[in-house]
Amino acid sequence: MTTDTHSREKLWSLIKDTKFGLFTTRHANGHLHSRPMTTQNKKIDEDDRLWFFMSRSSDSVSDLLADPQVNIGYANPGDDSYVSVSGIARVSTDEAKKRELWSKLNEAYFKGGVDDPDLALVEVRISHAHYWDVDDSKVVQLYKMAKAAVTGETPKLGKDAEVRMN
């Protein structure tokens, strides 16, 4: 594993086309709870935040208010890319940001539109991320795994890197 503090663009390239991320919070009973959420960003902000819309009345929001440490996992098996993002979440009161990120598709969940009283804008300030990205074709991957099975050596498939934001 390599540590690369200049990999923000790579990190975003792996996140941006993933339709859903699994947003994980710690529930009051201590269990970890994950639910699919859509990242609202078009790019990672200058200060490295991810944005989500959630229901104010949901367990997601009450969980992150009690414990703001969260994780978002992204997976693109077809592209062989995977990302784990850790950060601190909070409910934002930035109305301009809410309007900037709003799209008509969000009305499927929030019938009252951008002014729906149940709509919470959640900001996650990224503290750490780790990604795995395999560029080799499936044939090359299979060859490397077969070779490893014969030689006993662990196959090296793709790249992984850590990105520290703070």
Side-chain angles (χ1 to χ4, degrees):
M1 174 176 57
T2 61
T3 300
D4 183 1
T5 57
H6 304 290
S7 295
R8 294 175 184 178
E9 295 81 18
K10 178 65 174 178
L11 175 65
W12 182 246
S13 75
L14 297 174
I15 291 174
K16 69 181 176 70
D17 294 325
T18 307
K19 185 169 175 108
F20 298 103
L22 280 176
F23 194 103
T24 304
T25 58
R26 183 169 304 281
H27 194 63
N29 65 11
H31 296 166
L32 296 175
H33 287 225
S34 298
R35 69 280 288 164
M37 293 285 172
T38 302
T39 306
Q40 299 298 318
N41 302 51
K42 305 299 181 251
K43 60 183 174 58
I44 289 185
D45 290 343
E46 290 175 12
D47 53 358
D48 305 317
R49 292 177 289 177
L50 296 173
W51 297 93
F52 300 87
F53 287 130
M54 296 181 188
S55 168
R56 284 188 186 281
S57 59
S58 70
D59 284 346
S60 307
V61 171
S62 59
D63 288 353
L64 68 86
L65 291 174
D67 183 349
Q69 294 279 343
V70 300
N71 181 273
I72 303 102
Y74 297 93
N76 280 311
D79 294 335
D80 280 327
S81 64
Y82 307 88
V83 179
S84 175
V85 175
S86 299
I88 304 296
R90 73 178 187 89
V91 175
S92 174
T93 57
D94 187 338
E95 289 297 319
K97 189 68 168 179
K98 187 188 285 188
R99 291 183 187 291
E100 172 192 331
L101 295 172
W102 184 258
S103 76
K104 192 78 170 154
L105 293 175
N106 291 313
E107 286 183 21
Y109 299 97
F110 300 99
K111 303 296 183 206
V114 72
D115 295 315
D116 190 315
D118 191 43
L119 176 64
L121 175 62
V122 173
E123 166 193 358
V124 176
R125 189 172 296 269
I126 301 170
S127 54
H128 174 264
H130 196 127
Y131 66 79
W132 300 263
D133 187 31
V134 179
D135 293 330
D136 295 333
S137 71
K138 300 289 185 202
V139 172
V140 171
Q141 290 178 50
L142 286 171
Y143 169 76
K144 287 180 177 182
M145 288 188 283
K147 180 180 172 188
V150 171
T151 65
E153 296 177 14
T154 303
K156 178 66 176 153
L157 299 174
K159 301 173 230 118
D160 75 305
E162 287 190 47
V163 182
R164 296 207 181 268
M165 302 294 190
N166 300 338

